[in-house]
Amino acid sequence: MIENRMFEEEPDVVDLAKESTTFPTSQALDPDDVVYEPRSSRLLVRGLGENDMDEDDEDCESSARLLGMSFMNRSAAHRSLSSPYTRQGAPRSCARPSARTLVVCMLFLVIVASMTMVLYFLPGCTFTRSGCPKTNTTIPFEKVYPVSTSGEVFPWAQLRLPRSIRPLSYDLTLNPDLDSMTFTGRTIIHMSVLHNTKCIVLHSAYLNITKATFKLGDGQARGVTVLEYKPREQIAVAFTEVLKTGQDCVLTLEYSANLSHTYDGFYNSSYTEKDGSKRVLAATQFEPLSARKAFPCFDAPDFKATFLIRIRRKPNHLSLSNMPKAKTTQLPNDVIEDEFEKTSVNMSTYLVAFIVANFTHISRNVSETQVSVYSVPEKWEHTDYALDTGCKLLEFYNGFFEINYPLKKLDLVAIPDFLAGAMENWGLITFRETSLLVGKQSSNLEKQVVASVIAHELAHQWFGNLVTMRWWNDLWLNEGFATYMQYMSLQTVFPQLDIGNLFLAVRFRALDKDALNSSHAVSTEVNKPEQVEEMFDSVSYEKGASILLMLNASLPGDQQFRKGIIQYLKEFSGLNTDTNDLWNSLTQVEVSAQHPNVSEMMSSWTSQKGFPLVTVSRKGGQVTLTQEHFRLTSDNATQTSSLWIIPVTYVTDNCSVAPECRRTFYLKTKSETLKELPESVKWVKVNYRNTGFYITHYEDGGWAALIDALSHNVSVLTHEDRASLVHNMFALSRLGRVSFHQVLHLLKYMSNETHTSPVTEALLQLGVIYRLLDKRQEHRLVARMKSYILHQFGSLMDKQTWEEEDSVSKQELRSALLGMACSLNEEKCISQSRALFKQYVESNGTSRIPGDLQQVVFTVAAQSNEDWATLLTMYGQATYDAEKRKMLRGLASTQDARLIVWVLKAGLRGDVIQTQELPLVISTVCNGFTGYLFVWDFIQENWDSLIEKFPVGSFAIQTIIKSATSHFSTQAHLDQVQGFFYSLRERGSQMRSVQEALETIRLNQRWMEKNLATLEKWL
C-alpha cells in the first residue's frame, strides 16, 4: 500500500573516528533501544563519558549514546593514529629470538588478544566481584548520528520516533491542482512536551518544506530550520534551549509536493467516461506509512490526535474527508475551500483521508449516522446493494459491541484506481470498485464478495479505529479481529450468503502458509518499513481470525467471548493496546474452572509461529493425544520444543454431527490420555467442524475407520469435518506421514459427496498437483491425472446445470466443478461454454451468463484467438467491474505466447489494463503451461518497475512472487530463483516472501521425488 524509499542509496558519512571498516561488528544492544544502520548512513562523533552528558541533551542524544556504546573499547590497533589511546610499537631488534622466547611471546599475545576481545564484547563495563553490573563512567564512547540532507547532524537514529513530544491536534490545509498534478499544504501541529528535550522529530516524505515556524507556549512564533533524513523519512527541528516537560508548543510547516503516481499517499487517479472523456481525481491511501507523504506528521499508530482539515478545489469537483463538511468559502481565482468539522475522536494518522473528485452518491440515515455510498456518476446504479448492506451491518455492530459508531457520517467510496481491496479510514472508507459496486442482476456469489469487504471495514471502525494496536507488530489485533467479525456478522445478518464455506477455506489456506518455516508468529518483531508491509499477510488476517474462532468455540456459553471483547473495547476506547491487553480483558470474564487461563492459553498461539500436529493413537478404550510442531521444512537448526495449550474437540460414531455431541479436552503437555472410551466406539474424529487451528493425524487404524465410515454414509460427519479430513490428508502427505495412496483411498468416497466444501478442497489440492506435473512435462502422468479427476468427479460434473442458481453454496460447487472440467478440456463443458459465449455476444449483452459461470465461459472463449479479440473489445467497453475482472482473468488465461506477452506488458503500462490488476494477471497467467516461464522472465526483466509501482514487501509483491514461483519443482528453477533474488540485495532479497518461495520450491521438489513412482503405480 505504500511506496518504500528505505532502500535508496544513503548519503555519505563524516567519520571523525576514522573507524576501521574491517573491524568486526560488536554485540548488539537491546533491539528495543537501538536500531543499527549501514555505515554509509552514520556520522561517528567521539564524546565524553556517560555521566558527563548534560541532562538536557539526553532525549535528542539517547539513541546516539546507545549506538555509540558499541564502539567503545576497541583494540588500539584499530584506533586512529591521532587517538590518545594509541600504543607505541616496541623498538626493533636485530637479535633472533629463541624458540622458548617465541613460545612465551605467542602465549602472551594470545592472552592479550583474549582480553581485548572480552573488553570489546563487554563495552562500558567495570568488573566487580559479582560480574559487570556497574556502568563504566570513565571510558569515552562514540555518539552515532545520521547525516541530514543539508550535511548537518540529524538528532535521531531510530526507526520509531522519540516519546518526548505528543501531538494533540493537527490543522491541515491542502490545495491540490489536478491539472499540474501537484499540491501545496500547510500543517499546524499543537503538541505537548512529555519529557525534557532539545528536538522535535516527526515524519515527512517527498514534501518540499518551504517555511517553518515554532511557537512555545504564549510566546512569539519564530522561524526554525528543518533537518531531513530521507532514509527514515524523518524531519527534525533542533533547539539550543530545552523544551520543558508540560509545556505546549506549535509547529507550523508549509510545503509543496507532487501528487503520487503510485497507490499511496495523496495520489492522482483517472477514469474514462462512456463518451471517451477523461476525468481526474485525487485520493489518499495512508496505511501503513504514507500519511507522511501528504502532510508532515507523527506517522505511527500510537501518536493519536484530532484533525481539522480544509481542502481547496475547483467548482466542478467535490471534496470528502473523515468528518462532515462544516462550511464552504469562495476564494479568489474560482477556488472553493471546504472546511470539515474537527474530528470528535483521536485518530492515528493512517486513518486520515480526503478525496477530491466529481463523484455522485446516495444516502440513508441509520442510528443517528448518515451512511452514503459514492461512485463515479456512470456507476451510481450499482451502489444500492452496498448502501443496504452497510446500513444493516452498522446497526448490527452498534448492538453487538454495545458501543455506538461515534461519528456523524459514514461514507463508502468506490475509487477507480485503488490497490488494496478497501481501507477503513474513519468515516471515509475507500474501496476498489469491484469490492463495493454490484449490478442489479448480480449473483449472490458476487454479493457475497461485496458484503464480506464491507463487513470487514465496518468492523475496523471499532477494532483498529476506536482501539488501535500500539505498533505494527500487533497488526493482527486490527486485521485478525476484522476478519473474524466479517464472517461472524454475515452469518448472522445475511445467512443467505452462506459465508461459512468461505471462512472454512481461508482457514485451510492459513494453515498451509503457517506450515512453512518461513512463516512468522502472529505477534512478531517489526523493525523496518518493509517488515511493516509484510505484516499484511494471511497470518495477521486469516490465522488471527482462526485463533479467535478457536477461542470462542472453547469458551462455555454463547456470550462469554462477546462479553470479553466488549470489556476490551470499553476499557481501551480511544487508546492503543498490545496483544496482552486483549487476553487480559478476556481472562477477566468469568469462565468455568475447567477452562485454562485465557491469557496463558492464547499466548501460546500468538507468540510462536506455526501450529501443532495432534496425533491420535488408540489402544482399546484408551486414546492418547500427542502434539508436535507441524513444520513441512525441518532441520537441526529449526528444531524446537514448541508446545501449545490446545482445546481439542472430538466426536465419536456414537454421536458425531449435532453440537451437543462435541467433547473438549485441553492438551497442555506433549502427550496426554483421554478418559476411557467404550471399546464399542469404532472411531474418533478430532477437531469438530474444524474450529481448531491444528492438523490431526490418526494412527492405529484411525484413518481406515474414518474412511470406511464415509464410504458407507457421507452424512456421518458434518461437511466441515469431511472437508478437514481431505485437507489434513493432503497436508500429511506433504509432510510424509501418509502415502499418496492413502490420499487417493480417502477420495474414493467423493462420488457420493453432496456438499461444496469437501469437493472444492479436493479439487483445489488435486489441481495443484496436476499443474506441477504439467509444468514438469510429465506427460503420461498428466494424462492419467486428468483421467482420474474426470472419473472421480465426473458424475458430479454431469449433474451441474448452466442456468441461474440462487444458492451460494451450489454456485460455489458448480463454479469449481465446471472450472476444473473445462480446464481439463472435457468436451461437454467446452461445448456448453462456447455456446453460452456465442449467445452472449450475438445478443449484444442482453442475454446474461450466470455470474458464477462467467469465469468458466470467458476462460474457454479466450483459448480461441478470434474470441480472445472479441473478449478484449468487451473488456474495454464493460462498466460492471465484477464482470470486467472476470473478462480480464479470461484474457490472461490464453495459451497463445504472443497474447500472453501483450497482457503482461499492458498490465505494467496501465493503459488498457489497470496496473492495480497486474498481480491478478500474473497469477492467472502462471496457472497455464505456456505462460509461467514468460512470467518469470517478465519479473526478472521488470523488477525495478514492479517495486516502483508496488512497495517492497507489500501484499501485491508477495502475490507476484508466490504466483511466479509456486509452480517450480526442479533444482534448476530453485537455483534460478535463488540467484535472482539474492542478486537484488537491498531491492528485495531479504523479504519473507522470497524465503517462502524458496522453501515452497524445495518442498515441491521433495514431494515429486518421493511420489512420482506412487503416482505412476496408482493413477
Side-chain angles (χ1 to χ4, degrees):
M1 288 181 286
I2 67 165
E3 183 178 36
N4 192 325
R5 296 179 62 239
M6 188 63 187
F7 299 120
E8 69 181 20
E9 187 174 353
E10 297 180 337
D12 293 335
V13 303
V14 180
D15 188 349
L16 300 184
K18 290 183 168 50
E19 203 60 39
S20 168
T21 58
T22 61
F23 202 84
T25 304
S26 65
Q27 205 165 9
L29 299 177
D30 187 339
D32 291 336
D33 297 327
V34 60
V35 178
Y36 290 100
E37 295 188 32
R39 282 190 48 84
S40 62
S41 66
R42 289 178 175 170
L43 171 66
L44 304 182
V45 184
R46 285 202 188 280
L48 300 175
E50 188 173 25
N51 286 353
D52 297 327
M53 179 178 291
D54 187 338
E55 289 182 5
D56 293 341
D57 296 338
E58 183 173 355
D59 183 73
C60 286
E61 298 177 351
S62 60
S63 62
R65 182 176 70 245
L66 288 169
L67 284 168
M69 292 294 288
S70 66
F71 290 89
M72 293 163 51
N73 295 321
R74 305 279 180 141
S75 165
H78 295 90
R79 296 288 185 187
S80 164
L81 292 176
S82 62
S83 169
Y85 303 100
T86 302
R87 296 175 182 170
Q88 299 299 318
R92 295 185 180 182
S93 172
C94 296
R96 168 170 281 190
S98 65
R100 180 178 178 181
T101 302
L102 283 173
V103 170
V104 171
C105 288
M106 289 296 294
L107 181 60
F108 176 75
L109 288 172
V110 168
I111 293 171
V112 169
S114 300
M115 291 299 295
T116 301
M117 293 300 292
V118 168
L119 289 173
Y120 175 77
F121 283 110
L122 292 173
C125 178
T126 298
F127 287 91
T128 65
R129 179 182 296 273
S130 59
C132 184
K134 185 178 176 182
T135 303
N136 184 346
T137 61
T138 62
I139 301 176
F141 64 89
E142 299 159 355
K143 301 175 186 177
V144 182
Y145 292 99
V147 181
S148 67
T149 53
S150 64
E152 298 177 62
V153 175
F154 191 83
W156 191 249
Q158 299 186 36
L159 173 69
R160 297 181 68 172
L161 298 179
R163 309 299 306 177
S164 52
I165 299 289
R166 180 168 71 93
L168 302 175
S169 66
Y170 292 82
D171 187 323
L172 307 178
T173 302
L174 294 118
N175 183 14
D177 185 333
L178 299 186
D179 295 323
S180 64
M181 294 301 172
T182 60
F183 69 98
T184 59
R186 183 186 65 191
T187 298
I188 304 172
I189 312 175
H190 292 259
M191 299 166 288
S192 176
V193 181
L194 301 183
H195 307 290
N196 288 2
T197 183
K198 282 189 174 182
C199 64
I200 297 173
V201 184
L202 62 160
H203 291 109
S204 174
Y206 303 105
L207 303 178
N208 175 33
I209 295 175
T210 55
K211 183 179 179 182
T213 61
F214 177 76
K215 185 166 78 78
L216 183 62
D218 296 327
Q220 292 293 315
R222 57 187 172 88
V224 290
T225 300
V226 177
L227 303 175
E228 182 174 17
Y229 184 54
K230 288 186 176 181
R232 293 203 189 280
E233 299 180 339
Q234 293 174 352
I235 58 173
V237 177
F239 305 95
T240 55
E241 74 278 10
V242 176
L243 305 182
K244 301 286 189 180
T245 302
Q247 288 183 315
D248 291 332
C249 53
V250 180
L251 180 64
T252 301
L253 299 165
E254 297 181 11
Y255 56 95
S256 62
N258 293 319
L259 288 170
S260 171
H261 295 290
T262 56
Y263 297 100
D264 62 335
F266 194 14
Y267 71 94
N268 72 81
S269 175
S270 64
Y271 63 94
T272 303
E273 295 184 324
K274 287 181 179 178
D275 61 6
S277 58
K278 183 179 180 180
R279 296 283 189 173
V280 295
L281 61 102
T284 58
Q285 171 57 45
F286 290 161
E287 189 181 31
L289 307 174
S290 289
R292 64 194 68 174
K293 296 180 180 179
F295 58 97
C297 58
F298 295 79
D299 198 11
D302 54 346
F303 286 91
K304 290 189 172 186
T306 60
F307 293 82
L308 190 152
I309 297 174
R310 300 178 187 87
I311 306 289
R312 295 177 180 176
R313 60 177 173 86
K314 294 291 179 68
N316 60 328
H317 288 116
L318 61 79
S319 67
L320 298 170
S321 189
N322 304 83
M323 296 294 289
K325 194 178 298 181
K327 66 178 181 178
T328 295
T329 306
Q330 181 71 52
L331 301 179
N333 301 319
D334 205 25
V335 173
I336 294 173
E337 181 179 271
D338 293 327
E339 180 177 318
F340 298 89
E341 294 179 16
K342 186 176 182 178
T343 57
S344 55
V345 289
N346 284 323
M347 295 197 311
S348 303
T349 49
Y350 78 86
L351 294 171
V352 175
F354 31 86
I355 296 168
V356 178
N358 62 329
F359 289 163
T360 187
H361 73 283
I362 59 174
S363 300
R364 187 185 306 165
N365 286 312
V366 175
S367 302
E368 300 182 1
T369 300
Q370 179 170 293
V371 181
S372 303
V373 179
Y374 286 81
S375 72
V376 301
E378 292 181 351
K379 298 179 180 180
W380 71 269
E381 69 272 16
H382 296 161
T383 57
D384 289 333
Y385 182 77
L387 180 63
D388 184 58
T389 301
C391 290
K392 290 179 179 177
L393 287 168
L394 181 63
E395 287 184 301
F396 171 79
Y397 285 138
N398 279 340
F400 185 86
F401 296 131
E402 296 182 0
I403 300 173
N404 283 339
Y405 173 77
L407 304 186
K408 296 178 184 178
K409 76 169 181 76
L410 176 63
D411 296 337
L412 315 180
V413 185
I415 308 290
D417 271 331
F418 197 76
L419 184 58
M423 176 61 210
E424 65 269 18
N425 314 302
W426 216 342
L428 183 63
I429 306 176
T430 47
F431 296 78
R432 270 194 186 203
E433 290 182 325
T434 52
S435 301
L436 188 66
L437 305 180
V438 175
K440 296 191 185 314
Q441 293 183 320
S442 299
S443 67
N444 281 338
L445 197 55
E446 291 167 323
K447 291 177 180 177
Q448 184 197 72
V449 172
V450 170
S452 294
V453 179
I454 294 175
H456 183 100
E457 302 309 324
L458 260 63
H460 269 311
Q461 307 304 299
W462 287 264
F463 286 99
N465 298 11
L466 188 65
V467 180
T468 312
M469 77 268 154
R470 188 166 286 117
W471 181 241
W472 301 106
N473 63 308
D474 278 325
L475 176 67
W476 87 277
L477 288 175
N478 285 19
E479 301 300 349
F481 251 112
T483 302
Y484 174 74
M485 289 305 303
Q486 88 182 55
Y487 294 112
M488 192 280 291
S489 63
L490 291 183
Q491 285 175 327
T492 305
V493 182
F494 297 102
Q496 71 275 17
L497 295 181
D498 204 0
I499 201 69
N501 290 336
L502 180 58
F503 193 18
L504 181 64
V506 298
R507 300 203 300 273
F508 289 151
R509 303 293 74 78
L511 285 164
D512 293 344
K513 171 154 184 170
D514 208 29
L516 299 175
N517 197 42
S518 50
S519 184
H520 63 89
V522 170
S523 180
T524 192
E525 191 173 343
V526 174
N527 292 320
K528 298 178 181 178
E530 64 270 23
Q531 291 176 343
V532 173
E533 290 280 357
E534 288 193 306
M535 289 301 292
F536 291 81
D537 66 359
S538 65
V539 173
S540 296
Y541 285 70
E542 284 80 21
K543 182 179 179 179
S546 298
I547 63 175
L548 291 172
L549 171 69
M550 179 174 64
L551 173 61
N552 191 7
S554 72
L555 292 173
D558 295 332
Q559 298 300 313
Q560 295 287 49
F561 180 76
R562 181 187 171 204
K563 289 177 183 176
I565 61 176
I566 289 173
Q567 178 169 313
Y568 168 76
L569 289 172
K570 289 185 175 180
E571 181 178 356
F572 296 104
S573 177
L575 303 177
N576 296 85
T577 62
D578 58 29
T579 296
N580 289 332
D581 294 322
L582 172 64
W583 300 147
N584 290 338
S585 291
L586 286 162
T587 300
Q588 293 168 25
V589 177
E590 227 177 279
V591 295
S592 64
Q594 291 76 27
H595 195 282
N597 176 278
V598 171
S599 182
E600 181 185 358
M601 181 178 93
M602 296 310 296
S603 292
S604 70
W605 292 92
T606 55
S607 62
Q608 57 187 341
K609 68 181 178 183
F611 57 87
L613 167 64
V614 175
T615 299
V616 182
S617 58
R618 184 180 178 189
K619 302 292 184 186
Q622 181 174 299
V623 177
T624 301
L625 303 177
T626 305
Q627 66 163 297
E628 61 186 289
H629 192 154
F630 187 102
R631 186 188 284 115
L632 291 173
T633 301
S634 184
D635 53 49
N636 293 334
T638 59
Q639 290 292 342
T640 65
S641 56
S642 303
L643 282 178
W644 288 262
I645 298 179
I646 312 171
V648 177
T649 56
Y650 64 96
V651 293
T652 69
D653 60 301
N654 289 336
C655 183
S656 60
V657 177
E660 55 269 22
C661 299
R662 184 190 71 170
R663 298 290 178 267
T664 303
F665 176 85
Y666 293 97
L667 180 58
K668 302 177 183 178
T669 62
K670 177 78 173 174
S671 183
E672 296 186 43
T673 301
L674 286 175
K675 65 179 182 179
E676 289 284 323
L677 292 178
E679 294 212 20
S680 60
V681 171
K682 297 178 182 177
W683 48 261
V684 176
K685 167 64 177 69
V686 167
N687 200 2
Y688 175 68
R689 300 187 71 178
N690 203 68
T691 55
F693 196 74
Y694 55 90
I695 281 176
T696 310
H697 176 45
Y698 302 89
E699 291 183 338
D700 306 314
W703 275 114
L706 287 166
I707 292 171
D708 181 66
L710 285 178
S711 66
H712 288 92
N713 178 16
V714 296
S715 300
V716 74
L717 293 172
T718 66
H719 71 89
E720 296 98 336
D721 283 320
R722 303 197 300 272
S724 73
L725 289 178
V726 173
H727 172 267
N728 287 192
M729 185 69 95
F730 274 98
L732 291 165
S733 170
R734 286 179 72 80
L735 186 65
R737 293 297 176 92
V738 301
S739 68
F740 196 67
H741 169 54
Q742 287 176 275
V743 176
L744 299 177
H745 188 47
L746 170 64
L747 295 184
K748 287 181 180 178
Y749 97 93
M750 274 292 161
S751 57
N752 297 320
E753 182 55 75
T754 57
H755 202 276
T756 300
S757 51
V759 175
T760 54
E761 182 62 24
L763 289 174
L764 183 146
Q765 298 284 356
L766 291 171
V768 169
I769 296 171
Y770 177 85
R771 287 189 292 273
L772 283 174
L773 292 170
D774 189 33
K775 282 152 190 168
R776 285 177 66 103
Q777 301 185 53
E778 300 283 352
H779 300 304
R780 286 197 307 162
L781 281 176
V782 168
R784 292 180 186 179
M785 178 65 84
K786 173 182 174 180
S787 298
Y788 169 80
I789 294 172
L790 292 176
H791 172 75
Q792 199 69 30
F793 297 89
S795 60
L796 282 171
M797 292 172 178
D798 290 340
K799 292 176 183 177
Q800 304 310 306
T801 65
W802 292 79
E803 288 81 36
E804 292 287 353
E805 171 61 64
D806 290 332
S807 165
V808 170
S809 182
K810 290 180 179 178
Q811 288 178 16
E812 292 171 331
L813 179 63
R814 179 169 72 173
S815 177
L817 285 166
L818 295 180
M820 176 63 81
C822 283
S823 71
L824 298 177
N825 292 315
E826 196 274 329
E827 186 176 341
K828 180 180 175 183
C829 184
I830 297 292
S831 174
Q832 189 66 46
S833 294
R834 286 174 177 166
L836 268 180
F837 184 73
K838 182 180 179 182
Q839 183 180 347
Y840 180 71
V841 172
E842 290 176 348
S843 71
N844 203 22
T846 57
S847 172
R848 174 174 161 74
I849 303 171
D852 60 302
L853 296 179
Q854 287 175 353
Q855 191 62 72
V856 176
V857 172
F858 294 151
T859 299
V860 170
Q863 307 316 307
S864 155
N865 283 4
E866 181 181 348
D867 287 344
W868 189 93
T870 302
L871 191 61
L872 178 61
T873 301
M874 294 166 58
Y875 173 78
Q877 298 171 347
T879 57
Y880 176 42
D881 297 284
E883 184 178 57
K884 187 169 186 174
R885 208 162 193 242
K886 293 169 190 170
M887 291 177 180
L888 177 58
R889 291 184 65 186
L891 293 169
S893 69
T894 178
Q895 296 304 295
D896 184 303
R898 178 180 55 83
L899 297 177
I900 287 172
V901 172
W902 183 90
V903 168
L904 291 171
K905 289 183 176 179
L908 189 62
R909 287 194 310 269
D911 47 7
V912 179
I913 298 171
Q914 291 176 302
T915 300
Q916 69 184 30
E917 300 290 8
L918 187 56
L920 175 69
V921 168
I922 286 174
S923 174
T924 305
V925 170
C926 285
N927 282 333
F929 175 79
T930 306
Y932 82 111
L933 293 179
F934 279 106
V935 167
W936 176 233
D937 288 341
F938 173 81
I939 289 173
Q940 294 176 85
E941 292 170 6
N942 296 283
W943 181 255
D944 288 338
S945 296
L946 290 172
I947 60 174
E948 181 182 331
K949 296 176 184 297
F950 312 116
V952 172
S954 64
F955 189 75
I957 289 294
Q958 293 177 46
T959 301
I960 288 170
I961 293 173
K962 180 178 180 180
S963 300
T965 60
S966 62
H967 300 283
F968 293 156
S969 61
T970 65
Q971 186 63 42
H973 282 139
L974 176 63
D975 293 341
Q976 285 181 25
V977 174
Q978 185 166 289
F980 170 69
F981 282 112
Y982 283 3
S983 73
L984 295 178
R985 300 176 183 250
E986 72 277 5
R987 287 160 35 244
S989 63
Q990 299 304 311
M991 287 186 294
R992 187 184 294 121
S993 50
V994 171
Q995 308 311 313
E996 179 185 331
L998 296 174
E999 185 177 0
T1000 300
I1001 297 171
R1002 292 188 185 102
L1003 289 169
N1004 290 343
Q1005 185 181 6
R1006 185 183 76 183
W1007 192 91
M1008 283 294 169
E1009 290 170 353
K1010 185 172 182 178
N1011 289 286
L1012 279 178
T1014 303
L1015 290 170
E1016 287 275 5
K1017 180 178 180 181
W1018 291 103
L1019 286 180

